[in-house]
Amino acid sequence: MHTILQPEGWAKPVGYANGVAARGQLVFIGGQVGWNGQCRFETDDFVGQVRQTLANIVAVLAEAGGEPQHITSMTWYFTDKAEYLANLKGIGEAYRAVIGRHFPAMAAMQVVALVEDRAKVEIQATAVIPD
């Protein structure tokens, strides 16, 4: 379905892939934040927002007939690097609960702000659904 790209001699990444090769229907998922389907935040907890954001990605992907294992790339934006790093265990638990043990190519970065003031994280994703 997908091929993980891991150059020989490189240390294996933890929680992400250096690269992914895939064939099929491309699905581009716009930046999702930690609110529900009615655009209402139910929590200001960082991990809670991550969990909801990931659930939103899975819901959008399902509209194309895709599943979490079809995600090939994710870009994470968060407003506080220290809060992100302080919550890695909870983020990992939320990730595995929603996405499973599938780790696409990822990038993560701190930004000054997100458009939605209550949002602590925004994630953009790309998926490839096999033919």
Side-chain angles (χ1 to χ4, degrees):
M1 172 167 36
H2 296 113
T3 302
I4 301 299
L5 305 175
Q6 179 65 22
E8 187 175 332
W10 282 28
K12 184 177 179 190
V14 177
Y16 67 96
N18 286 307
V20 177
R23 273 203 176 113
Q25 176 188 2
L26 295 172
V27 179
F28 301 95
I29 301 167
Q32 299 295 306
V33 296
W35 61 19
N36 63 26
Q38 289 67 49
C39 302
R40 292 187 196 104
F41 287 93
E42 296 177 2
T43 184
D44 289 317
D45 174 69
F46 190 86
V47 173
Q49 285 198 14
V50 166
R51 181 182 296 270
Q52 182 64 57
T53 300
L54 294 170
N56 294 345
I57 288 168
V58 170
V60 172
L61 181 56
E63 286 298 305
E67 298 178 3
Q69 68 268 20
H70 299 139
I71 298 169
T72 56
S73 178
M74 300 175 96
T75 303
W76 294 52
Y77 306 92
F78 40 81
T79 57
D80 186 337
K81 177 182 172 184
E83 187 173 28
Y84 172 81
L85 292 173
N87 285 286
L88 288 177
K89 182 178 180 187
I91 292 167
E93 290 169 356
Y95 184 93
R96 288 185 301 279
V98 177
I99 305 293
R101 293 197 168 273
H102 170 69
F103 303 106
M106 290 194 211
M109 65 200 78
Q110 177 177 305
V111 294
V112 173
L114 297 168
V115 172
E116 296 301 326
D117 289 334
R118 280 184 71 184
K120 295 184 173 206
V121 62
E122 183 168 337
I123 304 173
Q124 184 175 352
T126 303
V128 180
I129 302 170
D131 295 327

